[in-house]
Amino acid sequence: MTALAATAVVVGGPSANAAPGCRVNYSVTNQWSDGFGATVTVTNLGDAITGGWTLEWDFAAGQRVGQGWNGTFAQSGAKVTVTNPTWSPGLGSNASVSPGFNGTWSGSNPVPTQFKLNGTVCTGSVGPTSTTTTTTTTTTGGNTTTTTSGNNQPGTRVDNPYVGAGVYVNPQWSARAAAEPGGSRIANQPTGVWMDRISAIDGNGSPTTGSMGLVDHLDEAVKQARTAPGGNLVFQVVIYNLPGRDCAALASNGELGPNDLPRYKTEYIDKIAGILARPAYASLRIVAVIEIDSLPNLVTNVSPRPTQTPNCDTMKANQNYQNGVAYAVSKLGDIGNVYNYLDSGHHGWIGWGDPIPEYDNFHASAKMMASILGREGATKADVHGFITNTANYSALEEPFWTVDDVVGGQAVKEKSKWVDWNDFNGELGFATAFRQELVANGFDAGVGMLIDTSRNGWGGSGRPTAKSSSTDPSVYVDQSRIDKRIQKGNWCNQSGAGLGERPKAAPKPNIDAYVWIKPPGESDGSSTQIPNNEGKGFDRMCDPTYGGNPRNGNNPSGALANAPISGHWFSAQFQELMRNAYPTL
């Protein structure tokens, strides 16, 4: 028999009001070959609780609760719930209670990383504190104690995480950018950190992430926070490793097969969640961008639509996209300083709100997003917002024309090949309208939107300066539009693109920020077949000689030549993005 003990204690400064707060000490008192005993002492740091209390946590390694005492225990999947015993419904301010239980384990028996008391994440602090932040960790006799004090209140989300905060600059991307001629002009811009495979979490084997693992980046973020406004720093991490990832785009296929949901949960999401929940990172505002290009694929690229792809039919049938996204949202949403933003395509993909269901993907995509609610414990409270145009090229706005224009007596919405009945011609209008549709489908009325502007500037000498005078709808639109793609469904290494608006907090109503989630200079996919061990295939949409398919109206791909596989550095594209930046550098 081995005696084990683990204690997580977080102590804040004096409270200015009676805000909720709690502290938990989880102690494994004894352990044997397939079982263990534990005591969970929870202290209420807020107002007295008189109507009953509920304590919650998730097990990370499949442990199961058996007999319990000093509380009523229940378990569903990994989640354990303890409610007050009938004889003791109250828990006074600064009072403690110690439920205990015997349980079973197999393989490993790690201590849970996060606890909630009546829905409040137990960080050990309550209310506003002093103006400085200090974190100290000590280990004595197998017990770990972490003490945090300061003006950041861990576990309490703000309405817009980007307001009043700096944003993390990835030193590895920054170094690549600075090494390029002229790159120092943007090397200090914040970009997303992509967890695009399991090994990326530890910093092993991901060309996109490099040698820095998630802990390395978070430790660096804590350092950068010391000089950020008010000590507040946003850390942007991309959750991107679904089973059967990117079913309609071979260039960004991933390492997990269509049925690898258990691995996605335990080896990927659980591991990331365990790291993000560490007390050392509780003062960071962690923005998690959830699974790019996933759920819209289950609307636009499945049977019976003409853009149907067998891989997407498979993922719709096994529901591992919905279940995987729901699990990620639920697990990460339990961490009080994580802000989940779900990827929601862009206007050139799901901007059609046609009343005929066969052609409507705008309303159908919002319904698909809402289908995650109630799965795997996901609730609307776990979704802080949505992001559009991630790693894409759609312009924010078209300054010289609208889809409702009529020229030569003809509606451009109907007659222009570029518009093709799409209801939008820019991401601002689309993001605003899609937000309203998402709220109508059950998401919280306060959700915010992010727009990726890393490559949608469309500047350079070819940028129009005025509206066309043509009376032909197609010519009028083509001469007036700043987005110079051949077709708005084109997505791979687009020729002529430029850097867009620099990252900015709260630029428009209900837009939380313009962000650079896709790091400029990282390829979308190889222009020719390149063997690799990253699970990434060759997609003809990245081939500049390709004539297209039904998804892009059988138009040329518009892709740049000589591109490396996705995520790898593409110097020629980086240089072009800088040349065509708008606003200019």
Side-chain angles (χ1 to χ4, degrees), residues 238-286:
V238 180
I239 307 302
Y240 187 57
N241 200 29
L242 273 177
R245 188 180 75 193
D246 281 6
C247 57
L250 297 175
S252 45
N253 285 169
E255 64 183 344
L256 300 180
N259 297 309
D260 279 341
L261 185 62
R263 287 192 65 199
Y264 177 78
K265 289 181 176 181
T266 59
E267 297 179 38
Y268 182 68
I269 294 298
D270 288 355
K271 189 170 184 179
I272 290 174
I275 293 171
L276 297 183
R278 292 179 184 177
Y281 310 129
S283 63
L284 298 173
R285 299 177 181 181
I286 300 172

mmCIF file of all heavy atoms in Angstrom, residues 238-286:
data_model
loop_
_atom_site.group_PDB
_atom_site.id
_atom_site.type_symbol
_atom_site.label_atom_id
_atom_site.label_comp_id
_atom_site.label_asym_id
_atom_site.label_seq_id
_atom_site.Cartn_x
_atom_site.Cartn_y
_atom_site.Cartn_z
ATOM 1 N N VAL A 238 -4.858 27.064 -31.045
ATOM 2 C CA VAL A 238 -5.754 26.436 -32.018
ATOM 3 C C VAL A 238 -5.861 24.951 -31.710
ATOM 4 O O VAL A 238 -4.862 24.229 -31.701
ATOM 5 C CB VAL A 238 -5.244 26.651 -33.458
ATOM 6 C CG1 VAL A 238 -6.195 26.000 -34.460
ATOM 7 C CG2 VAL A 238 -5.109 28.141 -33.755
ATOM 8 N N ILE A 239 -7.072 24.505 -31.438
ATOM 9 C CA ILE A 239 -7.373 23.094 -31.192
ATOM 10 C C ILE A 239 -7.739 22.481 -32.538
ATOM 11 O O ILE A 239 -8.805 22.767 -33.101
ATOM 12 C CB ILE A 239 -8.534 22.954 -30.175
ATOM 13 C CG1 ILE A 239 -8.235 23.750 -28.896
ATOM 14 C CG2 ILE A 239 -8.812 21.492 -29.876
ATOM 15 C CD1 ILE A 239 -6.963 23.346 -28.185
ATOM 16 N N TYR A 240 -6.871 21.614 -33.060
ATOM 17 C CA TYR A 240 -6.999 21.238 -34.471
ATOM 18 C C TYR A 240 -6.464 19.830 -34.700
ATOM 19 O O TYR A 240 -5.366 19.630 -35.191
ATOM 20 C CB TYR A 240 -6.217 22.250 -35.314
ATOM 21 C CG TYR A 240 -6.353 22.129 -36.813
ATOM 22 C CD1 TYR A 240 -7.593 22.182 -37.438
ATOM 23 C CD2 TYR A 240 -5.225 22.001 -37.616
ATOM 24 C CE1 TYR A 240 -7.708 22.103 -38.813
ATOM 25 C CE2 TYR A 240 -5.319 21.924 -38.997
ATOM 26 C CZ TYR A 240 -6.563 21.972 -39.590
ATOM 27 O OH TYR A 240 -6.682 21.895 -40.968
ATOM 28 N N ASN A 241 -7.249 18.824 -34.327
ATOM 29 C CA ASN A 241 -6.771 17.451 -34.510
ATOM 30 C C ASN A 241 -7.924 16.456 -34.479
ATOM 31 O O ASN A 241 -7.767 15.334 -34.001
ATOM 32 C CB ASN A 241 -5.754 17.091 -33.415
ATOM 33 C CG ASN A 241 -4.882 15.917 -33.795
ATOM 34 O OD1 ASN A 241 -4.611 15.676 -34.966
ATOM 35 N ND2 ASN A 241 -4.440 15.166 -32.799
ATOM 36 N N LEU A 242 -9.089 16.850 -34.972
ATOM 37 C CA LEU A 242 -10.251 15.963 -34.954
ATOM 38 C C LEU A 242 -9.977 14.638 -35.668
ATOM 39 O O LEU A 242 -9.164 14.581 -36.593
ATOM 40 C CB LEU A 242 -11.441 16.626 -35.644
ATOM 41 C CG LEU A 242 -12.366 17.519 -34.836
ATOM 42 C CD1 LEU A 242 -13.432 18.114 -35.759
ATOM 43 C CD2 LEU A 242 -13.025 16.778 -33.687
ATOM 44 N N PRO A 243 -10.684 13.581 -35.260
ATOM 45 C CA PRO A 243 -10.661 12.360 -36.073
ATOM 46 C C PRO A 243 -11.132 12.677 -37.491
ATOM 47 O O PRO A 243 -12.100 13.418 -37.678
ATOM 48 C CB PRO A 243 -11.665 11.449 -35.363
ATOM 49 C CG PRO A 243 -11.762 11.982 -33.973
ATOM 50 C CD PRO A 243 -11.557 13.459 -34.087
ATOM 51 N N GLY A 244 -10.429 12.157 -38.489
ATOM 52 C CA GLY A 244 -10.828 12.407 -39.877
ATOM 53 C C GLY A 244 -10.798 13.879 -40.234
ATOM 54 O O GLY A 244 -11.621 14.352 -41.017
ATOM 55 N N ARG A 245 -9.830 14.600 -39.720
ATOM 56 C CA ARG A 245 -9.792 16.063 -39.855
ATOM 57 C C ARG A 245 -9.843 16.521 -41.309
ATOM 58 O O ARG A 245 -9.238 15.944 -42.192
ATOM 59 C CB ARG A 245 -8.514 16.597 -39.194
ATOM 60 C CG ARG A 245 -8.428 18.106 -39.095
ATOM 61 C CD ARG A 245 -7.144 18.536 -38.425
ATOM 62 N NE ARG A 245 -5.985 18.414 -39.286
ATOM 63 C CZ ARG A 245 -4.727 18.482 -38.866
ATOM 64 N NH1 ARG A 245 -4.469 18.617 -37.580
ATOM 65 N NH2 ARG A 245 -3.735 18.361 -39.720
ATOM 66 N N ASP A 246 -10.571 17.631 -41.527
ATOM 67 C CA ASP A 246 -10.679 18.272 -42.840
ATOM 68 C C ASP A 246 -11.032 17.257 -43.927
ATOM 69 O O ASP A 246 -10.263 17.009 -44.859
ATOM 70 C CB ASP A 246 -9.379 19.009 -43.187
ATOM 71 C CG ASP A 246 -9.278 20.344 -42.477
ATOM 72 O OD1 ASP A 246 -10.143 20.629 -41.640
ATOM 73 O OD2 ASP A 246 -8.335 21.099 -42.761
ATOM 74 N N CYS A 247 -12.226 16.728 -43.794
ATOM 75 C CA CYS A 247 -12.657 15.637 -44.679
ATOM 76 C C CYS A 247 -12.714 16.041 -46.150
ATOM 77 O O CYS A 247 -12.689 15.173 -47.029
ATOM 78 C CB CYS A 247 -14.020 15.104 -44.224
ATOM 79 S SG CYS A 247 -15.335 16.360 -44.152
ATOM 80 N N ALA A 248 -12.789 17.335 -46.449
ATOM 81 C CA ALA A 248 -12.898 17.775 -47.839
ATOM 82 C C ALA A 248 -11.630 18.433 -48.349
ATOM 83 O O ALA A 248 -11.624 18.960 -49.453
ATOM 84 C CB ALA A 248 -14.073 18.753 -47.986
ATOM 85 N N ALA A 249 -10.546 18.436 -47.578
ATOM 86 C CA ALA A 249 -9.314 19.115 -47.988
ATOM 87 C C ALA A 249 -8.118 18.246 -47.627
ATOM 88 O O ALA A 249 -7.676 18.223 -46.492
ATOM 89 C CB ALA A 249 -9.197 20.485 -47.313
ATOM 90 N N LEU A 250 -7.602 17.542 -48.607
ATOM 91 C CA LEU A 250 -6.539 16.574 -48.354
ATOM 92 C C LEU A 250 -5.275 17.224 -47.799
ATOM 93 O O LEU A 250 -4.528 16.601 -47.044
ATOM 94 C CB LEU A 250 -6.196 15.836 -49.651
ATOM 95 C CG LEU A 250 -7.314 14.980 -50.266
ATOM 96 C CD1 LEU A 250 -6.857 14.418 -51.602
ATOM 97 C CD2 LEU A 250 -7.697 13.854 -49.319
ATOM 98 N N ALA A 251 -5.028 18.501 -48.146
ATOM 99 C CA ALA A 251 -3.786 19.151 -47.742
ATOM 100 C C ALA A 251 -3.653 19.267 -46.240
ATOM 101 O O ALA A 251 -2.547 19.351 -45.718
ATOM 102 C CB ALA A 251 -3.691 20.540 -48.376
ATOM 103 N N SER A 252 -4.778 19.308 -45.538
ATOM 104 C CA SER A 252 -4.739 19.516 -44.090
ATOM 105 C C SER A 252 -5.285 18.324 -43.325
ATOM 106 O O SER A 252 -5.686 18.454 -42.172
ATOM 107 C CB SER A 252 -5.507 20.792 -43.725
ATOM 108 O OG SER A 252 -6.733 20.868 -44.411
ATOM 109 N N ASN A 253 -5.323 17.157 -43.958
ATOM 110 C CA ASN A 253 -5.698 15.946 -43.226
ATOM 111 C C ASN A 253 -4.778 15.762 -42.026
ATOM 112 O O ASN A 253 -3.646 16.231 -42.011
ATOM 113 C CB ASN A 253 -5.599 14.713 -44.121
ATOM 114 C CG ASN A 253 -6.731 14.605 -45.132
ATOM 115 O OD1 ASN A 253 -6.675 13.803 -46.033
ATOM 116 N ND2 ASN A 253 -7.762 15.426 -44.991
ATOM 117 N N GLY A 254 -5.277 15.052 -41.001
ATOM 118 C CA GLY A 254 -4.513 14.905 -39.770
ATOM 119 C C GLY A 254 -4.078 13.487 -39.494
ATOM 120 O O GLY A 254 -4.201 12.587 -40.328
ATOM 121 N N GLU A 255 -3.616 13.275 -38.263
ATOM 122 C CA GLU A 255 -3.034 11.999 -37.881
ATOM 123 C C GLU A 255 -4.067 10.978 -37.416
ATOM 124 O O GLU A 255 -3.793 9.783 -37.409
ATOM 125 C CB GLU A 255 -2.022 12.220 -36.760
ATOM 126 C CG GLU A 255 -2.636 12.753 -35.467
ATOM 127 C CD GLU A 255 -1.603 13.031 -34.389
ATOM 128 O OE1 GLU A 255 -0.466 12.545 -34.522
ATOM 129 O OE2 GLU A 255 -1.935 13.724 -33.419
ATOM 130 N N LEU A 256 -5.267 11.435 -37.000
ATOM 131 C CA LEU A 256 -6.258 10.534 -36.417
ATOM 132 C C LEU A 256 -7.240 10.047 -37.468
ATOM 133 O O LEU A 256 -7.747 10.836 -38.284
ATOM 134 C CB LEU A 256 -7.010 11.230 -35.282
ATOM 135 C CG LEU A 256 -6.157 11.707 -34.099
ATOM 136 C CD1 LEU A 256 -7.029 12.364 -33.048
ATOM 137 C CD2 LEU A 256 -5.372 10.545 -33.494
ATOM 138 N N GLY A 257 -7.548 8.757 -37.433
ATOM 139 C CA GLY A 257 -8.513 8.192 -38.357
ATOM 140 C C GLY A 257 -9.932 8.575 -37.993
ATOM 141 O O GLY A 257 -10.205 9.116 -36.913
ATOM 142 N N PRO A 258 -10.903 8.284 -38.864
ATOM 143 C CA PRO A 258 -12.290 8.697 -38.650
ATOM 144 C C PRO A 258 -12.888 8.208 -37.338
ATOM 145 O O PRO A 258 -13.777 8.867 -36.779
ATOM 146 C CB PRO A 258 -13.027 8.102 -39.855
ATOM 147 C CG PRO A 258 -11.984 7.945 -40.901
ATOM 148 C CD PRO A 258 -10.721 7.605 -40.164
ATOM 149 N N ASN A 259 -12.412 7.075 -36.841
ATOM 150 C CA ASN A 259 -13.002 6.496 -35.626
ATOM 151 C C ASN A 259 -12.108 6.625 -34.391
ATOM 152 O O ASN A 259 -12.304 5.927 -33.397
ATOM 153 C CB ASN A 259 -13.331 5.019 -35.881
ATOM 154 C CG ASN A 259 -14.380 4.858 -36.966
ATOM 155 O OD1 ASN A 259 -15.438 5.489 -36.914
ATOM 156 N ND2 ASN A 259 -14.092 4.032 -37.957
ATOM 157 N N ASP A 260 -11.141 7.531 -34.451
ATOM 158 C CA ASP A 260 -10.190 7.682 -33.345
ATOM 159 C C ASP A 260 -10.657 8.684 -32.287
ATOM 160 O O ASP A 260 -9.828 9.372 -31.670
ATOM 161 C CB ASP A 260 -8.822 8.123 -33.877
ATOM 162 C CG ASP A 260 -8.009 6.954 -34.416
ATOM 163 O OD1 ASP A 260 -8.327 5.803 -34.072
ATOM 164 O OD2 ASP A 260 -7.054 7.195 -35.182
ATOM 165 N N LEU A 261 -11.960 8.760 -32.046
ATOM 166 C CA LEU A 261 -12.461 9.698 -31.043
ATOM 167 C C LEU A 261 -11.899 9.416 -29.644
ATOM 168 O O LEU A 261 -11.554 10.358 -28.920
ATOM 169 C CB LEU A 261 -13.988 9.694 -31.014
ATOM 170 C CG LEU A 261 -14.640 10.720 -30.082
ATOM 171 C CD1 LEU A 261 -14.286 12.139 -30.506
ATOM 172 C CD2 LEU A 261 -16.160 10.525 -30.045
ATOM 173 N N PRO A 262 -11.783 8.151 -29.198
ATOM 174 C CA PRO A 262 -11.200 7.919 -27.867
ATOM 175 C C PRO A 262 -9.793 8.497 -27.730
ATOM 176 O O PRO A 262 -9.454 9.077 -26.692
ATOM 177 C CB PRO A 262 -11.210 6.392 -27.738
ATOM 178 C CG PRO A 262 -12.341 5.961 -28.608
ATOM 179 C CD PRO A 262 -12.297 6.889 -29.791
ATOM 180 N N ARG A 263 -8.964 8.353 -28.757
ATOM 181 C CA ARG A 263 -7.616 8.929 -28.700
ATOM 182 C C ARG A 263 -7.685 10.456 -28.661
ATOM 183 O O ARG A 263 -6.910 11.110 -27.950
ATOM 184 C CB ARG A 263 -6.783 8.500 -29.912
ATOM 185 C CG ARG A 263 -6.326 7.054 -29.896
ATOM 186 C CD ARG A 263 -5.280 6.837 -30.980
ATOM 187 N NE ARG A 263 -4.064 7.594 -30.724
ATOM 188 C CZ ARG A 263 -3.157 7.879 -31.666
ATOM 189 N NH1 ARG A 263 -3.349 7.477 -32.922
ATOM 190 N NH2 ARG A 263 -2.076 8.567 -31.355
ATOM 191 N N TYR A 264 -8.578 11.022 -29.447
ATOM 192 C CA TYR A 264 -8.741 12.479 -29.457
ATOM 193 C C TYR A 264 -9.070 12.993 -28.062
ATOM 194 O O TYR A 264 -8.523 13.996 -27.611
ATOM 195 C CB TYR A 264 -9.854 12.847 -30.438
ATOM 196 C CG TYR A 264 -10.189 14.318 -30.515
ATOM 197 C CD1 TYR A 264 -9.374 15.197 -31.234
ATOM 198 C CD2 TYR A 264 -11.313 14.836 -29.886
ATOM 199 C CE1 TYR A 264 -9.685 16.545 -31.318
ATOM 200 C CE2 TYR A 264 -11.635 16.180 -29.962
ATOM 201 C CZ TYR A 264 -10.818 17.027 -30.691
ATOM 202 O OH TYR A 264 -11.136 18.374 -30.761
ATOM 203 N N LYS A 265 -9.934 12.271 -27.373
ATOM 204 C CA LYS A 265 -10.341 12.700 -26.037
ATOM 205 C C LYS A 265 -9.204 12.556 -25.025
ATOM 206 O O LYS A 265 -8.855 13.512 -24.327
ATOM 207 C CB LYS A 265 -11.554 11.887 -25.569
ATOM 208 C CG LYS A 265 -12.858 12.197 -26.289
ATOM 209 C CD LYS A 265 -13.971 11.330 -25.714
ATOM 210 C CE LYS A 265 -15.324 11.663 -26.313
ATOM 211 N NZ LYS A 265 -16.404 10.838 -25.728
ATOM 212 N N THR A 266 -8.652 11.363 -24.940
ATOM 213 C CA THR A 266 -7.728 11.075 -23.836
ATOM 214 C C THR A 266 -6.306 11.551 -24.101
ATOM 215 O O THR A 266 -5.637 12.070 -23.196
ATOM 216 C CB THR A 266 -7.716 9.568 -23.531
ATOM 217 O OG1 THR A 266 -7.303 8.848 -24.707
ATOM 218 C CG2 THR A 266 -9.087 9.091 -23.101
ATOM 219 N N GLU A 267 -5.824 11.373 -25.345
ATOM 220 C CA GLU A 267 -4.432 11.709 -25.637
ATOM 221 C C GLU A 267 -4.245 13.160 -26.056
ATOM 222 O O GLU A 267 -3.131 13.692 -25.971
ATOM 223 C CB GLU A 267 -3.881 10.788 -26.733
ATOM 224 C CG GLU A 267 -3.841 9.318 -26.352
ATOM 225 C CD GLU A 267 -3.299 8.449 -27.478
ATOM 226 O OE1 GLU A 267 -2.357 8.907 -28.177
ATOM 227 O OE2 GLU A 267 -3.820 7.337 -27.678
ATOM 228 N N TYR A 268 -5.331 13.779 -26.491
ATOM 229 C CA TYR A 268 -5.207 15.140 -27.036
ATOM 230 C C TYR A 268 -5.931 16.166 -26.163
ATOM 231 O O TYR A 268 -5.295 16.957 -25.461
ATOM 232 C CB TYR A 268 -5.737 15.155 -28.471
ATOM 233 C CG TYR A 268 -5.625 16.487 -29.174
ATOM 234 C CD1 TYR A 268 -4.385 17.019 -29.523
ATOM 235 C CD2 TYR A 268 -6.765 17.214 -29.502
ATOM 236 C CE1 TYR A 268 -4.285 18.243 -30.177
ATOM 237 C CE2 TYR A 268 -6.675 18.430 -30.151
ATOM 238 C CZ TYR A 268 -5.437 18.943 -30.492
ATOM 239 O OH TYR A 268 -5.344 20.158 -31.130
ATOM 240 N N ILE A 269 -7.259 16.127 -26.122
ATOM 241 C CA ILE A 269 -8.011 17.151 -25.385
ATOM 242 C C ILE A 269 -7.739 17.077 -23.892
ATOM 243 O O ILE A 269 -7.474 18.101 -23.236
ATOM 244 C CB ILE A 269 -9.519 17.029 -25.662
ATOM 245 C CG1 ILE A 269 -9.830 17.363 -27.128
ATOM 246 C CG2 ILE A 269 -10.311 17.957 -24.738
ATOM 247 C CD1 ILE A 269 -9.473 18.773 -27.537
ATOM 248 N N ASP A 270 -7.788 15.888 -23.306
ATOM 249 C CA ASP A 270 -7.559 15.778 -21.862
ATOM 250 C C ASP A 270 -6.168 16.284 -21.478
ATOM 251 O O ASP A 270 -5.991 16.935 -20.443
ATOM 252 C CB ASP A 270 -7.721 14.330 -21.401
ATOM 253 C CG ASP A 270 -9.175 13.878 -21.403
ATOM 254 O OD1 ASP A 270 -10.057 14.705 -21.665
ATOM 255 O OD2 ASP A 270 -9.413 12.677 -21.145
ATOM 256 N N LYS A 271 -5.205 15.992 -22.321
ATOM 257 C CA LYS A 271 -3.841 16.431 -22.017
ATOM 258 C C LYS A 271 -3.720 17.947 -22.105
ATOM 259 O O LYS A 271 -3.117 18.591 -21.243
ATOM 260 C CB LYS A 271 -2.856 15.759 -22.975
ATOM 261 C CG LYS A 271 -1.401 15.989 -22.599
ATOM 262 C CD LYS A 271 -0.485 15.111 -23.437
ATOM 263 C CE LYS A 271 0.969 15.273 -23.001
ATOM 264 N NZ LYS A 271 1.879 14.413 -23.800
ATOM 265 N N ILE A 272 -4.325 18.528 -23.143
ATOM 266 C CA ILE A 272 -4.309 19.987 -23.276
ATOM 267 C C ILE A 272 -5.040 20.639 -22.109
ATOM 268 O O ILE A 272 -4.559 21.606 -21.510
ATOM 269 C CB ILE A 272 -4.935 20.413 -24.621
ATOM 270 C CG1 ILE A 272 -4.012 20.018 -25.781
ATOM 271 C CG2 ILE A 272 -5.223 21.912 -24.651
ATOM 272 C CD1 ILE A 272 -4.606 20.254 -27.153
ATOM 273 N N ALA A 273 -6.211 20.093 -21.763
ATOM 274 C CA ALA A 273 -7.003 20.667 -20.670
ATOM 275 C C ALA A 273 -6.236 20.609 -19.354
ATOM 276 O O ALA A 273 -6.267 21.560 -18.555
ATOM 277 C CB ALA A 273 -8.332 19.938 -20.547
ATOM 278 N N GLY A 274 -5.549 19.523 -19.116
ATOM 279 C CA GLY A 274 -4.790 19.393 -17.880
ATOM 280 C C GLY A 274 -3.695 20.439 -17.762
ATOM 281 O O GLY A 274 -3.411 20.944 -16.672
ATOM 282 N N ILE A 275 -3.095 20.784 -18.905
ATOM 283 C CA ILE A 275 -2.048 21.812 -18.897
ATOM 284 C C ILE A 275 -2.651 23.203 -18.720
ATOM 285 O O ILE A 275 -2.195 24.004 -17.899
ATOM 286 C CB ILE A 275 -1.219 21.740 -20.192
ATOM 287 C CG1 ILE A 275 -0.416 20.430 -20.230
ATOM 288 C CG2 ILE A 275 -0.292 22.940 -20.310
ATOM 289 C CD1 ILE A 275 0.274 20.162 -21.558
ATOM 290 N N LEU A 276 -3.711 23.502 -19.484
ATOM 291 C CA LEU A 276 -4.313 24.837 -19.408
ATOM 292 C C LEU A 276 -4.877 25.135 -18.029
ATOM 293 O O LEU A 276 -4.946 26.298 -17.616
ATOM 294 C CB LEU A 276 -5.421 24.978 -20.458
ATOM 295 C CG LEU A 276 -5.006 24.869 -21.926
ATOM 296 C CD1 LEU A 276 -6.215 25.102 -22.827
ATOM 297 C CD2 LEU A 276 -3.892 25.854 -22.269
ATOM 298 N N ALA A 277 -5.292 24.089 -17.309
ATOM 299 C CA ALA A 277 -5.915 24.288 -15.997
ATOM 300 C C ALA A 277 -4.908 24.472 -14.869
ATOM 301 O O ALA A 277 -5.308 24.695 -13.728
ATOM 302 C CB ALA A 277 -6.828 23.104 -15.680
ATOM 303 N N ARG A 278 -3.628 24.403 -15.161
ATOM 304 C CA ARG A 278 -2.633 24.546 -14.097
ATOM 305 C C ARG A 278 -2.702 25.940 -13.470
ATOM 306 O O ARG A 278 -2.847 26.948 -14.171
ATOM 307 C CB ARG A 278 -1.227 24.293 -14.649
ATOM 308 C CG ARG A 278 -1.002 22.845 -15.065
ATOM 309 C CD ARG A 278 0.399 22.648 -15.631
ATOM 310 N NE ARG A 278 0.577 21.276 -16.102
ATOM 311 C CZ ARG A 278 1.684 20.828 -16.699
ATOM 312 N NH1 ARG A 278 2.701 21.653 -16.902
ATOM 313 N NH2 ARG A 278 1.757 19.565 -17.098
ATOM 314 N N PRO A 279 -2.595 26.010 -12.161
ATOM 315 C CA PRO A 279 -2.667 27.316 -11.481
ATOM 316 C C PRO A 279 -1.657 28.330 -11.996
ATOM 317 O O PRO A 279 -1.919 29.537 -11.960
ATOM 318 C CB PRO A 279 -2.412 26.962 -10.015
ATOM 319 C CG PRO A 279 -2.854 25.536 -9.885
ATOM 320 C CD PRO A 279 -2.507 24.889 -11.192
ATOM 321 N N ALA A 280 -0.518 27.869 -12.488
ATOM 322 C CA ALA A 280 0.512 28.794 -12.972
ATOM 323 C C ALA A 280 0.030 29.649 -14.134
ATOM 324 O O ALA A 280 0.581 30.725 -14.397
ATOM 325 C CB ALA A 280 1.759 28.008 -13.397
ATOM 326 N N TYR A 281 -1.033 29.174 -14.847
ATOM 327 C CA TYR A 281 -1.510 29.891 -16.022
ATOM 328 C C TYR A 281 -2.879 30.534 -15.797
ATOM 329 O O TYR A 281 -3.515 31.002 -16.740
ATOM 330 C CB TYR A 281 -1.571 28.938 -17.219
ATOM 331 C CG TYR A 281 -0.291 28.155 -17.409
ATOM 332 C CD1 TYR A 281 -0.314 26.767 -17.538
ATOM 333 C CD2 TYR A 281 0.940 28.800 -17.424
ATOM 334 C CE1 TYR A 281 0.863 26.053 -17.685
ATOM 335 C CE2 TYR A 281 2.123 28.091 -17.572
ATOM 336 C CZ TYR A 281 2.077 26.714 -17.694
ATOM 337 O OH TYR A 281 3.250 26.014 -17.841
ATOM 338 N N ALA A 282 -3.319 30.556 -14.545
ATOM 339 C CA ALA A 282 -4.681 31.017 -14.255
ATOM 340 C C ALA A 282 -4.877 32.496 -14.540
ATOM 341 O O ALA A 282 -6.011 32.946 -14.728
ATOM 342 C CB ALA A 282 -5.023 30.722 -12.789
ATOM 343 N N SER A 283 -3.799 33.278 -14.584
ATOM 344 C CA SER A 283 -3.960 34.715 -14.830
ATOM 345 C C SER A 283 -4.028 35.044 -16.323
ATOM 346 O O SER A 283 -4.354 36.173 -16.695
ATOM 347 C CB SER A 283 -2.801 35.489 -14.194
ATOM 348 O OG SER A 283 -1.568 35.127 -14.787
ATOM 349 N N LEU A 284 -3.721 34.081 -17.195
ATOM 350 C CA LEU A 284 -3.793 34.308 -18.635
ATOM 351 C C LEU A 284 -5.236 34.238 -19.119
ATOM 352 O O LEU A 284 -6.060 33.530 -18.549
ATOM 353 C CB LEU A 284 -2.967 33.262 -19.385
ATOM 354 C CG LEU A 284 -1.464 33.228 -19.121
ATOM 355 C CD1 LEU A 284 -0.842 32.022 -19.824
ATOM 356 C CD2 LEU A 284 -0.807 34.520 -19.589
ATOM 357 N N ARG A 285 -5.524 34.976 -20.168
ATOM 358 C CA ARG A 285 -6.810 34.832 -20.856
ATOM 359 C C ARG A 285 -6.570 33.934 -22.065
ATOM 360 O O ARG A 285 -6.004 34.369 -23.070
ATOM 361 C CB ARG A 285 -7.352 36.199 -21.288
ATOM 362 C CG ARG A 285 -7.608 37.155 -20.121
ATOM 363 C CD ARG A 285 -8.067 38.520 -20.612
ATOM 364 N NE ARG A 285 -8.282 39.437 -19.491
ATOM 365 C CZ ARG A 285 -8.713 40.694 -19.617
ATOM 366 N NH1 ARG A 285 -8.946 41.183 -20.840
ATOM 367 N NH2 ARG A 285 -8.882 41.459 -18.550
ATOM 368 N N ILE A 286 -6.972 32.697 -21.960
ATOM 369 C CA ILE A 286 -6.649 31.699 -22.979
ATOM 370 C C ILE A 286 -7.814 31.583 -23.963
ATOM 371 O O ILE A 286 -8.906 31.156 -23.610
ATOM 372 C CB ILE A 286 -6.347 30.344 -22.331
ATOM 373 C CG1 ILE A 286 -5.158 30.464 -21.376
ATOM 374 C CG2 ILE A 286 -6.074 29.284 -23.399
ATOM 375 C CD1 ILE A 286 -4.905 29.230 -20.534
#
